[in-house]
Amino acid sequence: MTNYFSSDFKLGILGGGQLGKMLLYETRKYDIQTLVLDPSAEAPSRIACDSFTQGDLMDYETVLEFGRKADVLTFEIETVNVEALEKLEQEGIKVYPSPKTLKKIQDKGVQKSFYADHAIPTAPFSKFASKDALLRCFQKGDFQFPFVWKSTTGGYDGKGVAVVRDQAALEALEDTPCIAEDLIPFKNELAVIVARSPSGEVKTFPVVEMEFHPEANQVEYVICPARIEPSVAEKARKLAEKVSERFEHVGLLAVEMFQTEDDRVLVNEVAPRPHNSGHYSIEAGFTNQFEQHLRAILDLPLGNTDSKVGGVMVNLVGDEGYTGNVIYENIEEIMKFKGVTPHIYGKKITRPFRKMGHVTIVAEDLSEARRTAEKVKKTIRVIGSEKINS
Amino acid sequence: MTNYFSSDFKLGILGGGQLGKMLLYETRKYDIQTLVLDPSAEAPSRIACDSFTQGDLMDYETVLEFGRKADVLTFEIETVNVEALEKLEQEGIKVYPSPKTLKKIQDKGVQKSFYADHAIPTAPFSKFASKDALLRCFQKGDFQFPFVWKSTTGGYDGKGVAVVRDQAALEALEDTPCIAEDLIPFKNELAVIVARSPSGEVKTFPVVEMEFHPEANQVEYVICPARIEPSVAEKARKLAEKVSERFEHVGLLAVEMFQTEDDRVLVNEVAPRPHNSGHYSIEAGFTNQFEQHLRAILDLPLGNTDSKVGGVMVNLVGDEGYTGNVIYENIEEIMKFKGVTPHIYGKKITRPFRKMGHVTIVAEDLSEARRTAEKVKKTIRVIGSEKINS
């Protein structure tokens, strides 16, 4: 057994955003030395790591040089140079999740084909090398409006995804390799986080539910546990475990799923890392997702994934009317409500829809937490020092 | 309302030990800028603050110069230069707890007199300017064996306190200003943490119980909630609130108490800061003590002090047979148990009885947590790279 605690062992983390920052709370708790690589000098993870390197995550030499200083390497964002990870693995550095797994996930076209090859239920789709290829097939009548368009790479936080409902939306699409997917009418969007260690221990967090705003069609609340039939929850957990196993995944795998009108469960997509849908676990879970990721990649025993209390998570995104230095309007108001914890990621500049933080609301009674979450949502606003005239 | 979150506001923290380190988890969560002053270059808080200054906490000029860079100043250890804090307060810097309060607590003789003056029940005591003065009164028969000796200043983690049972122990006492206190036979040692904000909001954490090893007479477990009569718990909370109010305390005040054989509650001593007896709250509480301290000193609304689940805390202290580079023997074994979270403070070198970390065990059922705590205690051992021959 490697001695990780207060030792010379070094964990390298590619990416220094909020996920990395929250992972660092756990490395500090265990006193594990960390190295972080991120392109931004203002990265939220800059503080609290042992050594910060500013550099391009997609640059082969940068990742290679950085990775050689670590004993185990992980990432908090998928858009990293996978060839460098392969080389590092050959050199004997442990990389979790493995580059082999990452390659199956990084490209959404490859990811979708993987589901098809492994009999994992997912929405029907077609792959295209370019916008032109997509347009040709559309004109031939291979698929119709509405459909879901996804860029095969580089998608993140709603970027690289569009629901295409008309000719104008079709024309506005970027020219990139992409997939076109059937738009599935669904009752619920669900997510399950699976943790798997190199020795093969597996633990699965409860099913969470993404509640959408009825008009805006945006995720408003992540709710744990999901308010669904136990049989559907069981199906979702089993499916998530199957996905993790087929990917031979190590670390955390967040599996996003649709519950269809007829209670089938389809995999939408996965993220091979801690995930927005697991933030509730910091306050509500016996083991939070970041600690679990750390336990998994270090091959330590996995923690209990049960919840202590009901949890609801609200994202704090920049108001569309502002930019400049961020101001969390009425944050002291929401701190008066019972069971409310704000998490501020540390980005100094707000922008419309930028993910600036999140708020977790916990209570014994989930419906109480849900009611408080609504009050939180109506009270706090992420504004900035400069108004945007629109 | 000051804008603390992702702003230019700066919190100064005197002391960079484990309490400061755990406070920094919360400043990071809120993205509040921090400055830390500590004499050790290896201080656990060195990482995760925005700016670290190495310097003497008892040196007037050092504390003054450091404090002038902060907007609000707090401390995680009482042995700081209080005259510098007074000067800083005069200059308009907010210091919480206030130097006025700290002066009533820092010197245990002054602290005990304060209890007497405010009709706060405490064990009978006498104050002495020197060892000689104590010996003269002892020889006159003013008090007898056994009694409790406490150095009036500098006591910490069991240092500066002794139960004097015989002539040999009496002769071994240090020559310092001190108090001699009646040794009170008690059923339980209890503690209550009170949070108070500058606007006067007060919240009190549940009563915890220190369970002693039946033979070694050492605290083995801190248990929340204490397994005592509700009427005694109520008495202890009320008394702790009175103590906090009389001290005009701002921030966290940990009040250690004795429950006597006849169910009276006496104040033993207080600590004006987060405290070992509140560590359980990180995993078990709706609001952990460090977040509560931060909320209090920044005059933010105080959080809910209830517990989500039962909690037991075990200190990890260095085994008496070892020194050198620390090794947490069997730590991966205890991580297999349900509801177990180790906290490693980050001290590289172990020494006999040095506080190196703690382990929290939580469960819905407190007696289950207590049983697991016993397994933890029997399994993990803090050893070092060098054996001490004794």
Side-chain angles (χ1 to χ4, degrees), chain A residues 145-150 161-166 169-170 173 183 217:
Chain A
F145 295 131
F147 68 90
V148 178
W149 172 90
K150 289 180 180 173
V161 180
V163 179
V164 183
R165 299 186 185 276
D166 53 31
L170 185 65
L173 292 176
L183 179 66
N217 202 35

Side-chain angles (χ1 to χ4, degrees), chain A residues 52 86 102 231:
Chain A
F52 180 79
E86 286 177 317
L102 180 57
S231 61

Side-chain angles (χ1 to χ4, degrees), chain A residues 21 28 283 308 344, chain B residues 21 28-29 283 308 344:
Chain A
K21 180 188 169 192
R28 295 293 301 134
E283 283 80 18
K308 295 166 187 162
I344 305 298
Chain B
K21 179 188 169 192
R28 295 293 302 134
K29 192 169 86 185
E283 284 79 18
K308 295 166 188 163
I344 305 299

